[in-house]
Amino acid sequence: MSAASCLLSEDQFRCSICLDVFTDPVSTSCGHNFCKNCINEHWNSNDQYLCPMCKEMFNTRPDLKVNTLFSEMVSQFRQEAQQKASSSSSEQQAAKPGEVPCDVCTGTKLKALKSCLVCLTSYCQTHLEPHLTASRLKRHQLMDPVENLEDRMCMKHDKPLELFCKTDQTCVCMLCSVLDHKTHDVVPLKEEYERKKAELEKTEAEIQEMIQKRQLKIREIKQSVDLSKESADREKAEGVQVFTALKESVERSLNELIETIEEKQRTAEKQAEDFIKELEQEISELKKRSPEVEKLSHSEDHLHVLQNFPSLKAAPPTKDWTKVSVRPSSYEGTVVKAVAQLEELCELKRIQQYAVDVTLDPDTANPNLILSDDGKQVHHGDVKKNLPKNPERFSRCVFVLGKQSLSSGRFYFEVQVKGKTAWNLGVAIESIDRKGKIIASPEDGFWTIWFRNGIEYSARNNRPFRLSLKSPLQKVGVFVDYEEDLVSFYDVDTAALIYSFTDCSFTEELYPFFSPCVNDGGKNSAPLIICPVNQTV
């Protein structure tokens, strides 16, 4: 029997009325089988006695007979189905919170695999089987399991919501489309779903793009913060270095101020001591002479007075002290001068933080100039070298430019001029004339100061402007603020400002400019030397 039942399909054991496996199967005279209760209820609700399968009409209500063989086959099939269902149920998982449970399971509710929009029921794997095998049930509309299936039915007509009214933007059933929405633009639910899905995919892509842009912005902001932190750390380190140097300079300036004041006081005290010593010496001499004069002035001996008077009259020489005085030392301006010098030092230390590593560009050097291998020194040679005549090279004037350029921000460099009798220093724009006779003036793109004849310092601003310096320059600092159109020159040793060009109106790249001037028979043979900037004083 088991082998026979296995050869039959499940449809052959289903009642055509209830569509479930036969319960108490009975046969009509036409040879068709039905559940006993199903066929009786069918005939009880109809006036005629027709076979639901072949439509054969019976004049009288047929006497139903039990098909013993078929009943045994159904019983065997049901038993095997239950065993199979039991085995399948043990393999399936119970529905977890948030998952749709099977509406047919009793006891432990298994996880539903599909929901039927016709039956309005969710089925697990076992109870879904009839919908996958029974020909009538196969026509039912299955979907992924969902809860509240009644929400998918039209509340007015109790039909599945299969259409979408684009006019009212609502889901409708077939009856709604021909009654309430007859003149509206109605499309199948799937068609509108595909359109909406496309819109959602587009929206999702836009959202992802927005997310990516914002993630990129976050990375940019974080990178900016990191750069800001690096800059802050660098500024703090430079600040510590500069202010440590300033602290040492302040202490040294204070010591120098105190030493200056004390030296003035010592000089005044020494002068006063010398005057007092000289006065005391004269007093001692006068005290020795006073008794003799007094004795002679009281003598009544005329001859004695006259004979000794000449010797007493010729007294030892003394100074006229009426015009001699020791004035209190004046310290007015000493502190102000010291503070001014300190302010100049502070200013120099501030701009030294913009120091750049400048090297000479051999492609621009006049053929008479000799550059060191490291590009840090230049002097005039007696022999003109045979060099390529490139457009960048100064052919007539003994000039050379630095390799580094500036088109924004600030930069600073220092040059040793010690031992020279002539030189020229500053910055120049890229488009300067390099071939003819050049006047290094702002009108021609040069901002420089120069030294001539071992005595004269000048700045060329429209016309030569002679500079007054307290001491010969040993090292010159050159500072440029591109945005402020400013070029300033400093005496590095005294931290004093030498000269500033203002309102320069820069419009192109600037380059460091150097001219050691001619050798002058060896008098001006010392090189210009680009020095490392020492920010520690």
Side-chain angles (χ1 to χ4, degrees):
M1 183 69 69
S2 176
S5 65
C6 291
L7 296 175
L8 300 174
S9 68
E10 188 173 346
D11 286 345
Q12 293 175 290
F13 295 98
R14 292 187 182 279
C15 173
S16 60
I17 298 176
C18 69
L19 302 178
D20 204 351
V21 178
F22 288 105
T23 302
D24 297 330
V26 293
S27 300
T28 61
S29 58
C30 59
H32 293 110
N33 299 302
F34 304 95
C35 294
K36 183 177 181 180
N37 287 337
C38 290
I39 191 62
N40 284 330
E41 288 181 3
H42 177 72
W43 284 338
N44 289 339
S45 60
N46 290 280
D47 296 334
Q48 295 178 327
Y49 302 117
L50 296 174
C51 174
M53 293 291 290
C54 64
K55 307 300 181 183
E56 181 180 346
M57 181 178 293
F58 304 107
N59 295 326
T60 60
R61 186 164 182 156
D63 185 15
L64 300 175
K65 302 293 185 182
V66 176
N67 188 329
T68 305
L69 178 61
F70 185 71
S71 180
E72 290 178 358
M73 293 175 63
V74 169
S75 177
Q76 180 67 24
F77 178 82
R78 183 183 292 277
Q79 184 178 358
E80 291 179 356
Q82 289 176 348
Q83 291 176 352
K84 181 179 178 181
S86 176
S87 175
S88 176
S89 297
S90 64
E91 295 177 359
Q92 296 184 65
Q93 296 180 347
K96 299 177 182 178
E99 294 179 338
V100 179
C102 176
D103 294 328
V104 182
C105 288
T106 59
T108 301
K109 295 284 188 178
L110 299 181
K111 177 183 177 181
L113 294 183
K114 294 289 181 180
S115 294
C116 178
L117 293 178
V118 178
C119 304
L120 296 182
T121 305
S122 296
Y123 298 102
C124 65
Q125 181 176 347
T126 300
H127 295 115
L128 180 65
E129 191 68 23
H131 279 76
L132 302 177
T133 56
S135 56
R136 290 186 180 182
L137 294 179
K138 286 181 179 180
R139 294 195 294 269
H140 288 193
Q141 185 175 353
L142 298 177
M143 62 177 296
D144 290 337
V146 293
E147 294 181 324
N148 304 322
L149 285 169
E150 60 273 10
D151 294 342
R152 298 175 178 271
M153 301 295 291
C154 176
M155 299 179 64
K156 185 174 183 180
H157 303 110
D158 198 27
K159 299 291 183 181
L161 298 172
E162 301 176 294
L163 303 172
F164 184 79
C165 177
K166 299 176 71 174
T167 305
D168 292 343
Q169 292 292 302
T170 185
C171 297
V172 297
C173 68
M174 292 296 295
L175 288 178
C176 289
S177 67
V178 297
L179 297 176
D180 302 332
H181 299 262
K182 184 176 181 180
T183 60
H184 293 180
D185 184 7
V186 178
V187 296
L189 202 65
K190 184 177 181 181
E191 179 181 327
E192 184 64 18
Y193 159 79
E194 294 293 343
R195 193 178 72 83
K196 287 289 196 296
K197 183 179 180 182
E199 290 183 8
L200 289 172
E201 290 175 350
K202 181 181 178 181
T203 302
E204 174 64 15
E206 293 173 350
I207 290 173
Q208 291 301 322
E209 183 179 1
M210 293 173 67
I211 291 173
Q212 291 176 1
K213 287 182 178 180
R214 280 151 181 77
Q215 289 175 337
L216 178 61
K217 181 58 67 175
I218 289 174
R219 288 195 294 269
E220 290 177 357
I221 292 173
K222 288 183 177 180
Q223 185 178 11
S224 178
V225 171
D226 291 340
L227 291 175
S228 177
K229 185 178 184 302
E230 290 176 5
S231 178
D233 292 340
R234 184 169 57 253
E235 287 295 319
K236 285 192 293 184
E238 292 177 355
V240 170
Q241 183 180 13
V242 170
F243 278 93
T244 299
L246 289 176
K247 178 183 177 182
E248 295 173 357
S249 298
V250 168
E251 292 176 351
R252 186 170 60 252
S253 297
L254 177 60
N255 292 334
E256 291 174 355
L257 173 64
I258 293 173
E259 179 61 29
T260 299
I261 295 173
E262 290 179 348
E263 179 61 29
K264 284 187 176 182
Q265 180 62 22
R266 285 194 296 269
T267 301
E269 291 177 355
K270 179 65 168 60
Q271 185 184 41
E273 289 176 0
D274 292 342
F275 286 159
I276 291 172
K277 184 176 181 181
E278 190 175 353
L279 285 168
E280 289 177 344
Q281 182 65 32
E282 290 188 3
I283 291 172
S284 177
E285 293 296 330
L286 290 172
K287 284 184 176 181
K288 291 179 181 179
R289 186 165 175 259
S290 178
E292 296 178 359
V293 172
E294 182 181 4
K295 180 179 179 182
L296 189 61
S297 67
H298 289 89
S299 175
E300 297 294 334
D301 186 345
H302 298 167
L303 181 62
H304 176 74
V305 171
L306 293 175
Q307 288 178 338
N308 289 282
F309 181 79
S311 61
L312 291 176
K313 182 67 175 177
T318 58
K319 184 183 292 186
D320 182 4
W321 292 94
T322 57
K323 296 182 180 181
V324 175
S325 64
V326 178
R327 297 181 180 179
S329 297
S330 175
Y331 304 105
E332 183 178 355
T334 304
V335 175
V336 173
K337 180 181 178 182
V339 171
Q341 290 175 343
L342 189 58
E343 288 177 347
E344 290 179 341
L345 179 61
C346 291
E347 173 65 15
L348 181 60
K349 294 303 174 187
R350 182 185 68 83
I351 66 173
Q352 280 181 330
Q353 65 179 308
Y354 301 106
V356 294
D357 184 16
V358 174
T359 53
L360 301 169
D361 185 357
D363 292 335
T364 67
N366 178 275
N368 286 102
L369 294 180
I370 299 175
L371 278 60
S372 62
D373 292 338
D374 62 359
K376 296 294 185 180
Q377 299 186 29
V378 58
H379 67 276
H380 184 267
D382 293 326
V383 179
K384 184 176 181 180
K385 299 188 294 294
N386 185 18
L387 298 176
K389 296 181 179 180
N390 55 52
E392 295 83 11
R393 191 178 306 285
F394 293 99
S395 60
R396 186 171 179 180
C397 296
V398 287
F399 297 164
V400 62
L401 298 180
K403 289 183 179 180
Q404 293 70 24
S405 65
L406 176 76
S407 58
S408 64
R410 302 163 180 169
F411 74 71
Y412 173 84
F413 60 95
E414 293 179 354
V415 182
Q416 180 179 304
V417 297
K418 182 179 179 181
K420 296 191 65 60
T421 59
W423 48 262
N424 200 349
L425 286 176
V427 293
I429 59 176
E430 185 177 19
S431 63
I432 52 174
D433 179 21
R434 308 190 187 198
K435 302 304 179 183
K437 184 177 180 180
I438 303 170
I439 299 176
S441 65
E443 292 84 353
D444 298 316
F446 295 83
W447 290 269
T448 67
I449 62 171
W450 40 276
F451 182 51
R452 294 293 183 271
N453 305 320
I455 55 172
E456 181 182 346
Y457 296 96
S458 299
R460 192 171 189 94
N461 194 351
N462 298 325
R463 60 181 183 177
F465 177 79
R466 189 161 184 172
L467 304 175
S468 178
L469 303 180
K470 295 180 180 180
S471 58
L473 294 174
Q474 304 294 313
K475 188 184 294 183
V476 178
V478 182
F479 173 67
V480 176
D481 188 328
Y482 197 95
E483 277 71 28
E484 295 296 328
D485 296 320
L486 174 71
V487 180
S488 296
F489 299 86
Y490 290 84
D491 181 347
V492 177
D493 294 324
T494 64
L497 175 65
I498 301 172
Y499 187 80
S500 288
F501 291 93
T502 58
D503 301 324
C504 300
S505 300
F506 301 130
T507 58
E508 55 183 287
E509 288 187 317
L510 294 175
Y511 289 84
F513 167 81
F514 309 86
S515 174
C517 295
V518 297
N519 194 17
D520 193 18
K523 296 179 182 179
N524 191 34
S525 61
L528 289 177
I529 303 175
I530 302 172
C531 305
V533 176
N534 181 10
Q535 299 186 31
T536 59
V537 181

